[in-house]
Amino acid sequence: MCGIVGYIGSREAYPVILKGLKRLEYRGYDSAGVALLNNGMKVYKKKGKVAQLEEEVIGKDLHSHIGIGHTRWATHGEPSDRNAHPHLSKSGKLAMIHNGIIENYVSIKNELLKKGYSFKSDTDTEVLLNFIEDIKANNECSLEEAVRIALKRVVGAYVILLIDEENPDTIIAARKGSPLVIGIGKNEHFLASDASPIIEYTKEVVYVNDYELAIVKADELILKNLGNEKITPYVQKLDLELAAIEKGGYDHFMIKEINEQPDTIHDCLRGRLDPVAGTITMAGVQNNMEQLKNAQRIVMIACGTSWHAGLVAEYIFEELCRIPVEVEYASEFRYRNPVINKGDVIVAISQSGETADTIVAIEKAKEQGAFIFGVVNVVGSSIARLSHAGAYTHAGPEIGVASTKAFTAQLAVLTMVALKIALEKGTITHDRYMHLLNELHEVPEKVKQLLAHADAVKNIGLKYKDASDFLYLGRGYNFPVALEGALKLKEISYIHAEGYPAAEMKHGPIALVDEKLPVVFVATKDAYYEKIVSNIQEIKARKGQVIAVVTENDNVIPDMSGDIMFVPEADEIVAPMLSVIPLQLLSYYIGVAKGLDVDKPRNLAKSVTVE
Ligand code: AGP
């Protein structure tokens, strides 16, 4: 997810663009850049936040009334000056910014390389830009027509803003799958990823739809479809305030990010999992398959929520790949004198890629000859760079301190990795591989379905918000989900909560149970179902208040327990991506009901870069 801003009109373009980029930094902050037109093209760009760009341009010629700006969340090509947007075409006459992923950029790049093109960056954006310029030159057509032709060939998601030194009075924009808003001013237009950079100038906006092209001049906005037919712009009046816009209309980043999960899990699978071909494409796995499939042991190293993802992965990898797995708290691993054998595979899981304990732990393992596979969200982060190979989770920036969409994206990536290794090793049949691949493919839609019942979870949250303690219980794949649910509640509502294997209750913790204690069971239909029904009866018998996450066709547990949260049926291996979401929602609604800052809980930081 990146932030894009464009301006054309009578104002100085640079200040408008810079301020807009700052408003959009929540969408990505790996690098920032701006392209301005005035007696030629001027492009200034810099790795880091928008503040770094501001320093970079001190003393530079910034006078212009037309420009485009970009704040990046890296997907292709790690954060750097050369991978920062805007990109220049080979001729240097075109500059473009892009938000999205061009999935077929490699084939397009190969065509251009054969034509003698060279590339300054690793980005898919530079490929698309030169593809457009190549079409314009070879077809002797307008830039607008070249964009239309190019976009018909493109597979993936995009918003692009393009300016041309030879037509300094026009911005060309197009979108498919990523957002684009155009603000209508008096003889001026504003373009952005959302309305936050626009709202202080005008409340009249046009939301550009998929497969639409916008030709924007100071005093004219033309919308067309890819068939070159004009479309009448539908002008709307903004009724959101600035703060709400950054959160996409949600009250908090946390609830926004919980609701993004159908899209972020889809983004994680996109370009990798192909249910028709029955393939999972992951270069980091494919290129290291010998190392991975012959591992004598896999050690998952992480902290917090990422550690819980490692626990789920332990069940998945042992079940599918028949490789022994250990899951280590990075903070403990780094101070022990762990036994690391050559040939061990370390899976380092981290949203930020900057967690100090995890960094030191994998450095220690690497020194002893272990192979490091990173599962990271932030492209080009320290852990990504320390790893021998890896797979990004593509969940986009996670602003809320509580990790939600990053967790489900981690599970999606880890499940794909395990499936690839298991198929290669022959430890699962092709039928089971295809079954699980389809189960994984269906997760985004099932997440969307269960999010429709968020209000039911909210009511449960309101009912139990004043409890002083909670227990979270689960078995098998849902045991780590119980731990994750307890962590979410602790860090968002400050209520004490413990996660336990449900069967462990009889070894002591059941002494805690009385009529004041809410006990949350993660009890979806799986191999452990009959057992967990018995565990629920044990708690009911002691007057515990039972709350349960169950499969929507369950007609046993709902009759037994007080409050139910339903999730769609799914194979137990992918079920955690579903069963965790009611628990994310429960912690959110309780935290809000208690009037707490759910995006920035006390004592916590988004990335723990210190010991
Ligand atoms: C999760 O909600 C917490 N914010 C925290 O436990 C987090 O998961 C942990 O600090 C690890 O962070 P990382 O994934 O960025 O390495």
Side-chain angles (χ1 to χ4, degrees):
M1 180 156 90
C2 305
I4 60 150
V5 180
Y7 175 75
I8 185 165
S10 53
R11 301 172 203 258
E12 280 300 317
Y14 174 72
V16 173
I17 292 169
L18 184 77
K19 202 174 188 182
L21 291 178
K22 287 182 176 176
R23 289 260 158 81
L24 294 176
E25 270 194 311
Y26 75 89
R27 300 175 62 85
Y29 35 76
D30 291 329
S31 61
V34 63
L36 301 166
L37 272 177
N38 177 34
N39 297 327
M41 183 79 76
K42 297 177 186 68
V43 175
Y44 308 111
K45 55 188 187 177
K46 191 70 185 162
K47 178 183 176 183
K49 291 183 182 284
V50 175
Q52 271 66 49
L53 172 67
E54 243 179 319
E55 281 177 27
E56 177 72 9
V57 302
I58 291 171
K60 299 282 193 344
D61 174 8
L62 299 171
H63 173 58
S64 170
H65 296 298
I66 171 174
I68 55 178
H70 185 273
T71 180
R72 185 171 183 239
W73 178 261
T75 53
H76 290 82
E78 70 173 23
S80 61
D81 295 353
R82 69 191 189 91
N83 285 333
H85 300 213
H87 290 283
L88 277 174
S89 62
K90 185 179 176 186
S91 71
K93 293 187 181 308
L94 301 180
M96 187 168 91
I97 57 177
H98 166 225
N99 172 27
I101 294 178
I102 307 299
E103 292 175 25
N104 61 332
Y105 84 99
V106 172
S107 59
I108 296 171
K109 183 170 186 174
N110 289 336
E111 285 175 30
L112 294 171
L113 287 168
K114 286 183 189 129
K115 291 185 173 183
Y117 279 82
S118 58
F119 295 89
K120 302 181 186 69
S121 79
D122 309 323
T123 65
D124 52 348
T125 307
E126 190 186 5
V127 171
L128 175 57
L129 176 58
N130 280 308
F131 185 45
I132 290 168
E133 184 163 81
D134 185 59
I135 290 169
K136 180 171 182 289
N138 292 333
N139 295 278
E140 291 175 5
C141 62
S142 69
L143 181 59
E144 176 196 328
E145 184 56 21
V147 170
R148 246 196 302 281
I149 295 168
L151 294 182
K152 285 176 184 166
R153 171 85 190 278
V154 157
V155 176
Y158 56 79
V159 169
I160 57 171
L161 299 190
L162 198 56
I163 53 176
D164 176 6
E165 196 173 288
E166 293 173 350
N167 292 285
D169 63 348
T170 306
I171 296 176
I172 292 181
R175 76 148 284 182
K176 174 181 167 273
S178 298
L180 175 62
V181 188
I182 299 178
I184 318 285
K186 286 188 179 39
N187 291 326
E188 58 183 359
H189 284 100
F190 307 80
L191 301 91
S193 303
D194 67 33
S196 53
I198 295 172
I199 193 167
E200 69 182 87
Y201 304 105
T202 174
K203 294 213 169 196
E204 301 215 328
V205 296
V206 172
Y207 288 89
V208 180
N209 297 311
D210 280 355
Y211 302 107
E212 289 181 357
L213 209 65
I215 296 90
V216 189
K217 298 178 185 297
D219 57 357
E220 184 185 43
L221 163 62
I222 297 172
L223 271 187
K224 293 184 175 180
N225 61 23
L226 291 186
N228 200 18
E229 293 149 342
K230 278 198 177 182
I231 298 163
T232 306
Y234 172 50
V235 182
Q236 303 182 50
K237 203 122 177 95
L238 274 178
D239 59 8
L240 283 174
E241 292 313 313
L242 178 60
I245 290 166
E246 289 169 342
K247 299 182 182 92
Y250 289 99
D251 292 338
H252 303 96
F253 280 112
M254 183 177 175
I255 190 67
K256 174 177 178 248
E257 289 156 4
I258 289 171
N259 281 282
E260 279 179 345
Q261 288 177 109
D263 294 334
T264 50
I265 296 169
H266 175 259
D267 287 347
C268 185
L269 302 175
R270 180 164 59 177
R272 290 167 163 163
L273 186 146
D274 182 336
V276 176
T279 55
I280 297 174
T281 306
M282 301 177 90
V285 176
Q286 207 51 55
N287 298 339
N288 300 283
M289 184 56 84
E290 285 310 303
Q291 182 94 40
L292 294 168
K293 75 176 197 176
N294 296 319
Q296 297 307 303
R297 179 178 66 146
I298 293 176
V299 182
M300 308 272 175
I301 295 182
C303 300
T305 288
S306 298
W307 184 78
H308 295 149
L311 280 180
V312 176
E314 176 180 22
Y315 286 81
I316 296 173
F317 275 77
E318 291 201 342
E319 164 67 20
L320 298 184
C321 310
R322 306 310 295 154
I323 299 174
V325 175
E326 291 170 28
V327 185
E328 293 274 2
Y329 278 119
S331 55
E332 286 299 308
F333 184 87
R334 65 177 284 191
Y335 291 112
R336 274 204 340 255
N337 183 15
V339 175
I340 292 289
N341 305 310
K342 198 159 174 51
D344 279 353
V345 167
I346 304 285
V347 177
I349 307 168
S350 177
Q351 187 285 126
S352 63
E354 299 300 343
T355 299
D357 286 327
T358 309
I359 290 172
V360 175
I362 61 178
E363 282 172 340
K364 192 165 193 170
K366 196 172 178 180
E367 284 159 17
Q368 297 183 51
F371 178 82
I372 313 295
F373 188 90
V375 177
V376 178
N377 194 38
V378 179
V379 175
S381 57
S382 302
I383 292 171
R385 281 182 281 111
L386 265 173
S387 302
H388 293 107
Y392 286 118
T393 49
H394 292 319
E398 189 174 65
I399 308 299
V401 165
S403 192
T404 50
K405 62 177 183 174
F407 176 69
T408 48
Q410 288 165 351
L411 297 185
V413 165
L414 290 160
T415 306
M416 286 191 284
V417 173
L419 279 171
K420 278 189 73 68
I421 295 171
L423 186 67
E424 182 76 19
K425 283 191 74 169
T427 44
I428 59 172
T429 64
H430 191 264
D431 284 353
R432 185 170 192 208
Y433 167 82
M434 284 305 295
H435 163 70
L436 290 171
L437 188 141
N438 283 296
E439 281 284 316
L440 196 45
H441 177 64
E442 290 167 6
V443 166
E445 184 53 39
K446 290 181 177 177
V447 170
K448 194 180 288 182
Q449 290 166 18
L450 76 87
L451 284 169
H453 305 304
D455 283 348
V457 179
K458 182 175 182 178
N459 294 334
I460 295 171
L462 296 176
K463 179 175 175 184
Y464 293 97
K465 68 181 177 64
D466 297 321
S468 58
D469 299 278
F470 275 73
L471 272 180
Y472 282 71
L473 305 179
R475 296 178 79 122
Y477 294 89
N478 279 327
F479 159 52
V481 177
L483 296 180
E484 173 59 11
L487 174 62
K488 285 281 116 18
L489 189 72
K490 280 182 277 199
E491 62 178 338
I492 293 303
S493 71
Y494 315 153
I495 296 173
H496 174 251
E498 283 188 77
Y500 258 96
E504 198 52 29
M505 287 303 291
K506 55 186 173 292
H507 300 287
I510 202 162
L512 292 170
V513 176
D514 61 21
E515 68 286 351
K516 293 192 297 298
L517 183 70
V519 181
V520 181
F521 279 92
V522 191
T524 50
K525 286 269 182 73
D526 58 21
Y528 308 85
Y529 179 75
E530 304 304 331
K531 300 288 184 193
I532 208 152
V533 169
S534 308
N535 297 143
I536 293 175
Q537 282 160 340
E538 290 159 12
I539 300 299
K540 295 283 290 175
R542 291 159 179 83
K543 298 188 179 19
Q545 301 186 59
V546 172
I547 303 166
V549 177
V550 304
T551 304
E552 56 196 15
N553 59 12
D554 187 325
N555 51 26
V556 172
I557 295 175
D559 292 344
M560 292 169 60
S561 49
D563 298 280
I564 298 294
M565 298 179 277
F566 289 103
V567 295
E569 186 159 8
D571 188 287
E572 62 185 6
I573 284 184
V574 302
M577 281 177 264
L578 304 176
S579 55
V580 73
I581 293 175
L583 306 184
Q584 295 171 346
L585 289 168
L586 185 64
S587 66
Y588 170 76
Y589 288 123
I590 291 177
V592 169
K594 291 169 74 82
L596 300 172
D597 183 349
V598 293
D599 282 335
K600 297 187 183 67
R602 69 185 181 196
N603 310 337
L604 293 178
K606 182 57 190 169
S607 177
V608 185
T609 56
V610 294
E611 291 192 23

